Amino acid sequence: FGSIVKPKASLYCLGIIFFIYIYNLFNDIYSVNILIILETFIASIIIALIEYYYFNNYDELSDVKRKKNTIIWAVLSNIIIIFSAVIFDWFPSITVSVSVLLLVILEISIIAMRYSIYIVNLTDTNDLNDKLQKYQEYKKNIKILYFNTALNNSYLNNITFV
């Protein structure tokens, strides 16, 4: 559980902090407050937990359920990030045009994250199928080898030496 949620939360946190830092650079601020880093990590943990809850058994979900969960996750992620940014004042004195730009970047990031999760799951599925096929071939070859060995041994046991 922790090994799945924490890395994703770290990625989300890093992404949010990156945008805060870029925003700060445009305002001649060259650092990010440590309290803001903590706030972004807590928000990121919540987003990662939601993702874990909705996509834990990704392979077992129907296409309709996957789409529904993706929409729920995207909406909740938006709410959490935007609500946290407003409440904790991550972007002080932000203009409307910059807030629209940040919202567009947020949406692109969420879409990219969902797509990357899809690709990872697809790659994992293909990898598991390949390994299963190799294992089945291995088991088949072992059975043939065992059968041939048993056949040879039974033949040798019936030979009598004069």
Side-chain angles (χ1 to χ4, degrees):
F1 171 76
S3 63
I4 296 171
V5 173
K6 289 177 190 174
K8 289 181 181 184
S10 298
L11 283 173
Y12 293 134
C13 183
L14 184 63
I16 296 168
I17 290 172
F18 174 76
F19 289 115
I20 292 171
Y21 185 72
I22 296 298
Y23 175 80
N24 285 351
L25 280 178
F26 285 118
N27 291 307
D28 292 328
I29 302 169
Y30 301 103
S31 63
V32 176
N33 187 328
I34 192 74
L35 189 58
I36 289 176
I37 294 173
L38 177 64
E39 294 163 354
T40 58
F41 188 70
I42 291 170
S44 298
I45 285 281
I46 294 169
I47 294 168
L49 286 170
I50 292 168
E51 181 183 330
Y52 179 80
Y53 175 75
Y54 281 106
F55 298 106
N56 186 28
N57 297 325
Y58 187 84
D59 294 338
E60 299 171 11
L61 298 176
S62 66
D63 287 339
V64 173
K65 188 72 172 170
R66 285 183 197 160
K67 289 176 184 175
K68 178 184 169 191
N69 287 358
T70 300
I71 292 169
I72 292 170
W73 172 78
V75 168
L76 289 175
S77 296
N78 276 301
I79 290 170
I80 291 167
I81 292 172
I82 293 169
F83 182 75
S84 298
V86 170
I87 294 296
F88 298 123
D89 200 25
W90 292 345
F91 305 99
S93 66
I94 191 169
T95 63
V96 174
S97 59
V98 173
S99 62
V100 168
L101 176 65
L102 288 174
L103 186 62
V104 168
I105 292 171
L106 173 65
E107 298 309 315
I108 291 170
S109 301
I110 287 175
I111 291 168
M113 191 61 169
R114 244 349 289 143
Y115 184 71
S116 68
I117 291 168
Y118 167 76
I119 294 298
V120 166
N121 286 326
L122 184 64
T123 303
D124 286 347
T125 300
N126 290 341
D127 184 48
L128 286 173
N129 286 339
D130 288 344
K131 287 180 180 177
L132 176 62
Q133 184 179 12
K134 288 178 183 176
Y135 176 75
Q136 288 171 337
E137 289 174 10
Y138 170 77
K139 290 297 279 182
K140 181 181 172 185
N141 290 337
I142 290 295
K143 285 181 182 177
I144 291 171
L145 181 64
Y146 178 74
F147 178 75
N148 286 341
T149 303
L151 186 63
N152 288 339
N153 286 342
S154 66
Y155 175 74
L156 290 175
N157 290 336
N158 292 334
I159 297 177
T160 55
F161 294 97
V162 181

